[in-house]
Amino acid sequence: HTWTTTYEGASAGTGEDDDEDNIGTKYSLSVSADEKTASMEVTNKGSSPSINKNVGDTFTVPGLAGYIKCTSVKASNSYNEHGVQSWNVTYEGTTGEDEETSTPENEISFSYELNGTTVRTIDGEFLALRRSTTPITKKSIVIYNDSQNSVVTIGSNYEGGIAISENIIKEEISKNGVKLKSYYKHTIEVES
């Protein structure tokens, strides 16, 4: 079920010589089973648009509990009969976090290796020289967060083993050339 409603804000500017920035604000809200989408259109006079939200910022809509996360900002201008320029800035967004901008879930993977070494005999036979029949267990743990600082101290106990390395990479999510989100991927190698 989808419905749309519009709210009109009170006009702040009244005269043609009035260079007060905001003339009014209009809100639009659409609700479906999956998410709520909304837009906020702010009108201002002047030689340039008054943009006070960026992609990723939040705004509120009257009658809606919670925040809308801004996913796009658009501006257009027009002139009235007296030649006064006004700007319409439209902020669009959604309450549901888009899969494209959500941080990936943490991951864990296991590998098992021979506890010993391998050699080839003079005639080419492949032999395993085992220190133990219990394999070496290695975990690769991937954690996503907002910090570039190390998650673990190398050489310390971590997740049932000893942390032997951590690799940190900054990743960004962009859509149509606009950076929507950035986060850090921590890959921690643990051996037991």
Side-chain angles (χ1 to χ4, degrees):
H1 173 54
T2 301
W3 57 271
T4 303
T5 187
T6 301
Y7 303 92
E8 294 276 350
S11 178
T14 54
E16 65 185 69
D17 296 329
D18 191 356
D19 55 29
E20 178 64 51
D21 290 339
N22 283 347
I23 297 171
T25 303
K26 181 172 74 171
Y27 300 92
S28 176
L29 173 63
S30 176
V31 179
S32 68
D34 297 336
E35 65 181 4
K36 296 179 181 76
T37 59
S39 66
M40 176 175 69
E41 183 180 303
V42 181
T43 305
N44 72 280
K45 291 182 183 177
S47 59
S48 64
S50 176
I51 298 176
N52 57 15
K53 300 282 181 197
N54 293 310
V55 171
D57 291 347
T58 59
F59 61 91
T60 58
V61 173
L64 175 66
Y67 295 92
I68 299 293
K69 185 172 183 179
C70 184
T71 56
S72 75
V73 179
K74 301 173 188 172
S76 62
N77 68 337
S78 61
Y79 293 87
N80 67 13
E81 65 274 3
H82 303 289
V84 176
Q85 182 174 217
S86 65
W87 289 88
N88 292 327
V89 180
T90 303
Y91 306 95
E92 296 176 339
T94 180
T95 57
E97 193 168 322
D98 190 342
E99 282 186 26
E100 294 180 25
T101 62
S102 62
T103 303
E105 295 291 323
N106 294 343
E107 305 166 15
I108 187 167
S109 61
F110 295 89
S111 67
Y112 302 95
E113 297 178 8
L114 175 71
N115 190 350
T117 58
T118 58
V119 294
R120 289 203 179 269
T121 62
I122 294 173
D123 61 357
E125 187 179 348
F126 190 67
L127 298 176
L129 305 175
R130 298 183 185 188
R131 289 188 285 273
S132 168
T133 56
T134 304
I136 296 171
T137 303
K138 291 186 178 181
K139 290 183 199 175
S140 180
I141 302 166
V142 180
I143 297 173
Y144 300 92
N145 64 25
D146 295 331
S147 174
Q148 66 181 356
N149 297 328
S150 179
V151 172
V152 65
T153 302
I154 303 305
S156 66
N157 288 329
Y158 187 73
E159 295 290 328
I162 296 175
I164 58 173
S165 70
E166 180 175 359
N167 184 26
I168 304 168
I169 300 172
K170 183 176 183 179
E171 296 187 348
E172 294 182 349
I173 299 173
S174 298
K175 187 174 184 180
N176 298 329
V178 177
K179 181 176 122 180
L180 300 176
K181 185 172 190 163
S182 64
Y183 55 85
Y184 291 90
K185 176 182 178 182
H186 301 255
T187 304
I188 302 164
E189 297 296 329
V190 175
E191 187 171 318
S192 58

